[in-house]
Amino acid sequence: MVALGYGDLRAHFKKGLRNGNWRWLSRDEKALYRAALAYTKPVPVPRQRKLGEIVNRMVVDKLLALIEKLLETRVTRVLKRGYAKARELLEHGDERGVFVWAPSLRSWLRDRDYIFWLGTVQV
């Protein structure tokens, strides 16, 4: 079971601010993240020992998706685009006859450098 606490959320929030990914989140995504930070923030009450954690599976999944967006780098975005294009080529390459005139393309689609190049090419 995964639980997200204030320390984790705060660290990822700061990293997202530093690398500039925070500005690319939508208003709803920012609001959810801020609400989670506020919910888990320790309250200065002397009798309270346990800090708040988010354990609801649906909320944790949404927050983990946001954390993934916050931690993305340029390289990971390029590789995601490249893997998507490679997957599309593998799925529809036989139908279009691509592998007939370029049989070595199958081996290229296993090469990380070629996938990176596919992610940089704008079609």
Side-chain angles (χ1 to χ4, degrees), residues 89-103:
L89 277 172
L90 282 172
E91 290 174 357
H92 302 293
D94 287 330
E95 299 167 4
R96 297 176 184 161
V98 174
F99 298 122
V100 173
W101 59 270

Side-chain angles (χ1 to χ4, degrees), residues 12-93:
H12 296 308
F13 173 71
K14 287 170 68 175
K15 176 75 174 180
L17 281 177
R18 279 195 308 268
N19 67 20
N21 287 342
W22 178 256
R23 68 174 177 237
W24 300 113
L25 297 181
S26 70
R27 291 176 70 198
D28 294 338
E29 292 171 334
K30 288 178 184 179
L32 173 65
Y33 205 88
R34 285 186 183 131
L37 274 172
Y39 177 76
T40 57
K41 188 171 184 176
V43 180
V45 176
R47 294 182 185 154
Q48 182 181 0
R49 297 253 187 249
K50 186 171 172 34
L51 302 177
E53 288 185 336
I54 298 176
V55 294
N56 185 308
R57 188 78 227 157
M58 184 180 73
V59 177
V60 168
D61 287 342
K62 288 181 182 184
L63 287 173
L64 288 176
L66 290 178
I67 288 171
E68 187 176 316
K69 283 184 181 182
L70 287 175
L71 298 182
E72 274 186 345
T73 62
R74 290 181 182 150
V75 172
T76 58
R77 283 192 290 271
V78 168
L79 284 174
K80 275 186 183 179
R81 279 195 306 262
Y83 280 121
K85 288 181 183 180
R87 192 176 318 113
E88 192 265 331
L89 277 172
L90 282 172
E91 290 174 357
H92 302 293

Side-chain angles (χ1 to χ4, degrees), residues 96-110:
R96 297 176 184 161
V98 174
F99 298 122
V100 173
W101 59 270
S104 59
L105 181 62
R106 284 190 199 272
S107 63
W108 293 354
L109 292 175
R110 293 186 190 102

